[in-house]
Amino acid sequence: MASLNVGNLGEYLREQRRTAQLTLRQLADAAGVSNPYLSQIERGLRKPSAEILQQLAKALRISAETLYVQAGILDQRDREEAEVRSVILADPSITEQQKQVLLQIYESFRKENAVATPEQSGPSGAGGTGDDQSDPQS
């Protein structure tokens, strides 16, 4: 198993499970996986599929993208988006419906900005014409 980054995933899953106050057996049951298999994932001995990660994320009420990043399935560029989603989904002060609405708004802004400024995708965000920005000389 060369550089699977599975250990970090296992530690992260264990932390999330404990935060959710679930036993290993409870999470395994909720996610539809076997108790020994989940234990192996948490100990870094197994690398679960994206489907299993999705089931675990649903059972933990966190975003699947967060687990995909931990497992190395999503690249670094997607990390920030996954973190925003994770924070929204983990917030206990808002309802599930409010969380979904926030995620939809966030995604619509990301899509709108990607379409509006595709030329600004360089490392510093430079490269655009500056037409949208206010003129500092005015």
Side-chain angles (χ1 to χ4, degrees), residues 120 129-138:
Q120 293 184 355
T129 62
D131 293 340
D132 317 301
Q133 299 174 4
S134 61
D135 185 2
Q137 297 175 354
S138 302

Side-chain angles (χ1 to χ4, degrees), residues 13 25 41 51 58 68 71 73 79 82 87 99 131:
L13 270 174
R25 185 173 305 280
I41 294 170
E51 182 179 324
K58 186 175 180 181
Y68 296 161
I73 294 172
R79 181 179 291 274
V87 168
K99 291 175 186 181
D131 293 340

Side-chain angles (χ1 to χ4, degrees), residues 77-86 88 98-114:
R77 294 175 303 170
D78 298 322
R79 181 179 291 274
E80 288 179 5
E81 179 184 355
E83 288 174 355
V84 170
R85 291 175 173 278
S86 178
I88 291 170
Q98 290 168 333
K99 291 175 186 181
Q100 292 307 312
V101 169
L102 277 174
L103 289 173
Q104 290 171 356
I105 292 169
Y106 174 68
E107 188 59 34
S108 72
F109 283 151
R110 287 180 48 83
K111 286 179 182 175
E112 181 180 314
N113 291 341

